[in-house]
Amino acid sequence: MKPQAVIFDMDGTLFDSERLGHQIWRQLGVEFQLPVSDAFLRDLSGRDWNSAKEVFDHYFPAGWPLSAVKERQRELFAQFYAMSGAEVKPGFYAILDHLKERQIPMAIATSSFPQCVKANLRHAHAEHYFQSIITGYDPDVKAGKPAPDIYLCAARRLQADITRCIVVEDSPSGVRAAAAANAMPLLIPDTAPVDDATRRKARWILERLDQMIPLLESEETDHAV
């Protein structure tokens, strides 16, 4: 099977940055006296600030200082990424090299800040793999995951048919976004628990990135576990 393109989420999918995000949110919880729980972090996974409103409304008290928390989060991320980038996930270079050799276009579609994406790719020396990078802050992305906008935007910029794009995700909200876009969702679970509804929406479920290689070389379309 040769897809027209492969679109990757970033945090928890390409880079081991989901845990960094959790650490920063726990620090924000302490600094601003907010109830940052495991359940909050689970439900927040994969969302940007706009699509996270329902999560904030559910867990945080009315009148919490959104603007101040948002600015402080940006500062904490900037401090980390000024020094380094997140480590790559297992199989990172193997799958990207394989896709490049097969001339399959690649994009990143992430809810993260643009500077975080640039820092991670620079740290990994991986800027040359991707034809397009779309973040939740792109003006063409009107709604964040689990809405399909970011993946539809990525497919347009790659000039690919979204129904022939594999979307690689680690979070339930990301899989829902890919399914809503009518892409082919491929799930590689990371920190977020995966429920049965998410498993049903995923076309394939793998354990690491390089397990995609035999999948791409095969004509089989069964779910891989």
Side-chain angles (χ1 to χ4, degrees):
M1 179 186 63
K2 185 174 181 179
Q4 282 191 4
V6 177
I7 307 169
F8 293 92
D9 171 55
M10 185 183 76
D11 295 315
T13 300
L14 288 175
F15 292 91
D16 193 16
S17 45
E18 195 77 5
R19 289 166 183 80
L20 171 66
H22 288 185
Q23 291 171 11
I24 287 176
W25 265 110
R26 291 193 187 281
Q27 182 171 340
L28 293 169
V30 172
E31 292 183 11
F32 291 91
Q33 298 183 324
L34 295 171
V36 175
S37 63
D38 290 344
F40 167 79
L41 294 172
R42 177 200 65 213
D43 292 347
L44 190 67
S45 180
R47 295 175 182 262
D48 62 14
W49 278 89
N50 292 326
S51 63
K53 183 180 183 304
E54 64 185 81
V55 180
F56 295 142
D57 289 347
H58 179 72
Y59 288 98
F60 288 177
W64 67 281
L66 184 151
S67 296
V69 173
K70 188 174 183 179
E71 181 57 31
R72 179 61 174 150
Q73 186 205 46
R74 187 184 294 270
E75 289 175 1
L76 292 170
F77 271 116
Q79 288 172 15
F80 174 81
Y81 284 109
M83 302 287 293
S84 183
E87 295 304 311
V88 301
K89 297 287 284 185
F92 176 91
Y93 293 106
I95 186 56
L96 298 187
D97 285 336
H98 181 80
L99 291 169
K100 187 175 182 181
E101 288 169 5
R102 295 190 70 189
Q103 298 183 321
I104 298 174
M106 291 174 268
I108 290 176
T110 176
S111 302
S112 288
F113 298 120
Q115 59 266 38
C116 298
V117 185
K118 293 176 182 177
N120 279 335
L121 292 177
R122 184 172 61 248
H123 180 69
H125 303 289
E127 300 100 323
H128 61 287
Y129 287 108
F130 299 98
Q131 283 71 52
S132 187
I133 296 170
I134 302 96
T135 75
Y137 302 88
D138 191 297
D140 289 336
V141 179
K142 304 304 181 187
K145 303 173 189 179
D149 301 35
I150 197 166
Y151 287 123
L152 294 170
C153 179
R156 286 195 302 270
R157 293 191 185 175
L158 293 174
Q159 298 183 327
D161 178 352
I162 187 63
T163 66
R164 296 184 61 190
C165 292
I166 293 177
V167 166
V168 188
E169 268 284 357
D170 72 295
S171 72
S173 63
V175 170
R176 292 201 301 273
N182 290 319
M184 296 182 281
L186 189 156
L187 173 65
I188 303 178
D190 186 42
T191 61
V194 179
D195 57 22
D196 290 340
T198 301
R199 291 181 180 275
R200 287 192 293 271
K201 288 184 182 296
R203 184 163 180 175
W204 304 279
I205 303 173
L206 304 176
E207 294 180 353
R208 47 185 286 154
L209 289 164
D210 50 359
Q211 290 179 345
M212 291 176 61
I213 295 173
L215 176 71
L216 291 164
E217 292 176 340
S218 171
E219 293 299 324
E220 295 294 329
T221 57
D222 292 336
H223 278 62
V225 179

